[in-house]
Amino acid sequence: MSLLDQFVLFLASFLANWFSALSGGGAGLIQFPMLIFLGLPFGVALATHKVASVALGLGATMRHWRESHLERRFSLIILGAGLPGVVLGASTILKIPAHYAQLALGFLTLGLGLYSFFKPKLGLEHTPRNREGRALATGVAGLFVVGFLNGSITSGTGLFLTMWLIHHFGLDYKRAVAYTLVLCGLVWNGTGAIVLGLIGTIAWGWMPALLAGSLIGGYVGSHYAIKKGNRWIKRAFEIVTILIGLKLIIS
């Protein structure tokens, strides 16, 4: 790649991961298409993006860890329920037609934004619930499905985890985004990156710009999310999901 291409890649990665850390997901919906636009085949772009997205989780972890919002038991539930789905999804994605996956993702993402918009109080208060019994089992099943989407569709699925944590488990936006960026961004994406790396091809020459943009963007976005609070994060989430959903549907 030329220096200009590297700069464009860094800038796109920084902006994508800044918005993602702010709204709780969506980096792949900017970064992944950019890799294809710059010349990578679909499968190579997918594996390369997944590896780079781990840096978003690392940057976010560096900032959110100081706030201590993550509960150990609940974190283990998210990881235990979601990781099998991630492995299964990453193992099957290269067999799914990209057009159908993109269209489905567009409608689902748009639906998330509209749902949040028409629920003015959603995610503004932290009211933990559904942590035991049948309600927890339903939550675990939902986490598995989101994990599968994360491993397969891969682009923007952190938004689904953020919304599921808010809707089913009663988290506010700030805490839900923290769980998404640290657990999904670092651990789920790391697992997906290993699987895709084993069965696919990674463009390692593109990694320096991608990793730098993801790491710095993830840290800066997380800092703004923590400082601005729930109402600001909610609006960012709605704007990102609605715009990205429309883009995926009409592209």
Side-chain angles (χ1 to χ4, degrees):
M1 297 183 71
S2 68
L3 288 177
L4 179 58
D5 286 341
Q6 289 279 0
F7 176 75
V8 170
L9 194 57
F10 168 79
L11 186 61
S13 179
F14 173 82
L15 292 175
N17 287 280
W18 187 87
F19 280 113
S20 179
L22 188 61
S23 60
L29 295 168
I30 300 174
Q31 185 169 273
F32 178 46
M34 178 61 68
L35 296 179
I36 296 176
F37 175 76
L38 290 174
L40 289 183
F42 176 84
V44 178
L46 184 64
T48 302
H49 159 67
K50 182 61 76 173
V51 173
S53 65
V54 178
L56 164 62
L58 181 59
T61 298
M62 292 167 59
R63 184 61 184 88
H64 279 289
W65 200 260
R66 293 158 51 187
E67 303 297 318
S68 300
H69 283 156
L70 276 63
E71 304 170 25
R72 179 176 299 178
R73 176 178 179 271
F74 192 50
S75 296
L76 291 175
I77 290 173
I78 294 173
L79 292 177
L83 282 175
V86 172
V87 174
L88 181 61
S91 301
T92 59
I93 180 55
L94 297 181
K95 303 175 184 177
I96 299 175
H99 173 71
Y100 295 112
Q102 177 178 313
L103 193 61
L105 180 62
F107 280 108
L108 289 170
T109 305
L110 177 61
L112 289 181
L114 294 176
Y115 177 77
S116 178
F117 180 78
F118 287 108
K119 294 277 188 178
K121 296 183 179 179
L122 182 72
L124 297 183
E125 296 183 3
H126 183 57
T127 55
R129 59 179 180 267
N130 297 332
R131 304 293 182 90
E132 304 289 343
R134 184 176 298 178
L136 175 59
T138 301
V140 166
L143 290 170
F144 176 84
V145 172
V146 174
F148 178 84
L149 292 174
N150 176 264
S152 56
I153 299 175
T154 194
S155 298
T157 48
L159 297 166
F160 293 94
L161 178 58
T162 297
M163 183 53 66
W164 185 244
L165 294 177
I166 293 169
H167 171 76
H168 187 77
F169 290 106
L171 275 64
D172 60 4
Y173 267 97
K174 183 183 289 188
R175 286 177 174 82
V177 167
Y179 279 106
T180 295
L181 293 176
V182 175
L183 300 181
C184 174
L186 190 59
V187 185
W188 283 18
N189 285 346
T191 302
I194 292 172
V195 175
L196 287 170
L198 291 174
I199 64 176
T201 303
I202 298 170
W204 292 109
W206 296 44
M207 278 302 164
L210 284 173
L211 292 176
S214 298
L215 182 66
I216 298 172
Y219 184 91
V220 175
S222 296
H223 176 77
Y224 272 89
I226 291 169
K227 293 298 182 182
K228 294 295 184 179
N230 286 317
R231 193 171 299 276
W232 210 77
I233 300 172
K234 177 178 171 66
R235 291 292 172 260
F237 177 91
E238 292 162 359
I239 291 170
V240 168
T241 49
I242 290 173
L243 290 179
I244 287 176
L246 290 172
K247 177 183 180 295
L248 287 170
I249 292 170
I250 64 178
S251 62

